[in-house]
Amino acid sequence: MAKTVFITGATGLLGRIVFDSFVNAGWTTVGAGFSRAKPPSILKVDLEDQAAIETTLDDIKPSIIIHCAANRFPDQCETDPDSTRALNIASSRRLALAASSRSIFLIYLSTDYVFSGRPGEAPYEATSTPNPPNLYGQTKLAGEKAVLEVCENTGLAVVLRVPVLYGHAESNAESAVNVLIDAVWKATRDKDAQGPMEMDDYSLRYPTNTEDVARVIMDIANRYLNADEARVAMPKILQFSGEQRFTKYQMCQIFAGILGLPLDGMVGKGEDKDAKVARPYDTHLSTKVLKDLGVDVRTMDFTDWWKMEMKAYRR
């Protein structure tokens, strides 16, 4: 029998790749968007409307929901905290309630920013104590708790934490990694008029490709669905991450090298203690729980992937 999946945030950076992965695997795949909805495959669903959520689930009858929708930009979260809490927490609880009452399995996408990232603490296990440094991390952690609380006795939900993502994007601004390409071009173009651009060379990041995340989500979906009642005893919090470590400045150096551009218009800078939004130093996620489940946690090589992708950026 054909399996059906419902993907929220299906028009976003990760959601698009997840959507395509399930389509290619032969699933009946329905997505939810809002401003970029494209019926009938991508429905316009207001995740703040409980009735709309329930009607949608009753219509498509999915066996699993992949909850990618979120406000995932820390600066935007701080400037609009009410809508951030509404989407990241309240809507996640609504979705979990609707899913659990219909025996639909839910995968909730979360973030490495649930951890403080203080020097010396990483890598973080799935069981490590969270301590988010900013509102984004706080709301995603609250969303985790809401979903797991609703599904506590049913085994119908699992959390998947991931770090900063990169991949095929409709615009570079969709990804905190992809957007560094624009910074490299700007630094090259404007260096004489504005002086060198400063770029973070302090905080450590583990950029992970959206295609790898989608593959892992597919594996999790199949394993947990096939487990039936046994999934109640399976892990509730999973973590996936690339293992290659870079600062933003180091990523810019890689991009400049691939593009054949000088980077003398950019300089690395140390810790910004006066930043408006606190960001962690190192939130490296352990993938031990996924490995124990037998999930393949290998990832694409960062530089090799970009060498292929950058063909589209050469000017």
Side-chain angles (χ1 to χ4, degrees), residues 268-289:
K269 70 173 183 177
E271 181 181 8
D272 185 358
K273 297 182 179 180
D274 298 320
K276 293 181 180 179
V277 178
R279 282 174 167 79
Y281 165 68
D282 182 0
T283 51
H284 186 203
L285 298 172
S286 166
T287 59
K288 181 180 183 302
V289 177

Side-chain angles (χ1 to χ4, degrees), residues 2 22 31 42 57 93 95 99 111 143 169 181 193 221 236 265 274 279 292:
F22 277 89
I42 309 292
L57 296 184
R93 178 180 288 278
L95 196 61
T111 174
I181 298 168
K236 302 300 185 295
D274 298 320
R279 282 174 167 79
D292 289 346

Side-chain angles (χ1 to χ4, degrees), residues 107-110 158-162 217 220 238-240 290:
I107 299 178
Y108 172 87
L109 269 294
S110 191
V158 67
V159 167
L160 176 63
R161 295 171 180 156
V162 296
I217 289 172
I220 293 168
L238 310 174
Q239 299 183 155
F240 178 59
L290 282 178

